[in-house]
Amino acid sequence: MAVNNDEKEQIKPIGHNELAHKSLLQSDALYQYILETSVFPREHPCLKELREMTEKHPRNLMATPADEGQLLSMLIKLINAKNTLEIGVFTGYSLLSTALALPSDGKVLALDVSRENYELGLPIIEKSGVANKIDFREGQALPLLDELLQNENNKGIFDFVFVDADKDNYLNYHKRVLDLVKIGGLIGYDNTLWCGSVAAPPDAPMMDYVKRLRGYVIELNKYLAQDSRIEICQLPVGDGITLCRRIS
């Protein structure tokens, strides 16, 4: 079907423009209804403060949206997780969601290349009273994961792993964290629908960052779907999250 010039001007490139609208729902009003009805009324005051602080950051799109943070909290409680791993922290919304959900003796090992971003949210995390549950380590995640795997005692030690980092390394992360999570444990990969671009034709208009990493996300999704060592469930929450339960 031919598209006239007026219609072309109305086509928006695939991608999210701001954190407040980081959802795959086609209706902003429906997304706001979910947030205002079910998420914000239950949001911890320190999570709210951290979210509002992060919204002012020029790279706020890197943050975990509040509805996804709520999901992570529920999952951690449902599986009674005590020992967790997070790859990709930014200012710490998902990290704080995790730490608040863990029991008093729970721990989360948090890996990120930027301590600077983590320290933006650290005063709020400390105010929440759960900073003692967090072991933050700065650096590239792959070498840190390889270091963990050198010790056989670290294999299968994590109940829950959340990955929200460089998409071009997701497959490399999967090959490592699968050995670090216990059988019956859960891995969550964020952004697996990648602004909806995974279902769009390759020549569809996309923001540059979406187009550049789209292929890596598609590759990961295909790999996870065929990996017999896990059960999977892909959900259209946030920018898409794929949950993987290790079965062997």
Side-chain angles (χ1 to χ4, degrees), residues 103-120:
S104 58
D105 58 345
K107 296 293 181 184
V108 52
L109 174 60
L111 312 180
D112 199 284
V113 294
S114 173
R115 179 175 291 275
E116 180 181 358
N117 285 331
Y118 168 64
E119 289 183 344
L120 289 174

Side-chain angles (χ1 to χ4, degrees), residues 14 20 34 75 85 93 125 128 150 170 180 193-194 206 208 212 215 231 233:
I14 294 171
I34 293 171
L75 291 171
L85 170 66
Y93 191 90
I125 293 172
S128 74
Q150 287 175 8
Y170 265 30
L180 291 168
L193 294 178
W194 203 227
M206 302 177 194
D208 289 342
R212 179 169 54 86
E231 296 172 330
C233 177

Side-chain angles (χ1 to χ4, degrees), residues 48-104:
K48 178 182 179 182
E49 185 179 353
L50 182 55
R51 171 173 56 82
E52 291 176 345
M53 182 273 288
T54 304
E55 285 174 351
K56 300 171 186 175
H57 193 285
R59 303 187 71 183
N60 63 44
L61 276 176
M62 292 172 59
T64 298
D67 53 330
E68 187 173 5
Q70 187 182 59
L71 173 64
L72 296 177
S73 176
M74 179 75 77
L75 291 171
I76 287 165
K77 293 174 181 177
L78 283 171
I79 66 173
N80 296 312
K82 286 184 66 174
N83 197 26
T84 71
L85 170 66
E86 179 161 328
I87 303 173
V89 172
F90 191 42
T91 59
Y93 191 90
S94 57
L95 179 61
L96 181 54
S97 298
T98 297
L100 287 167
L102 288 170
S104 58

Side-chain angles (χ1 to χ4, degrees), residues 34 41 43 60-61 114 120 157 162 192 201 227 239-240:
I34 293 171
E43 189 178 35
N60 63 44
L61 276 176
S114 173
L120 289 174
I157 62 167
F162 182 58
T192 58
D227 191 339
D239 196 22

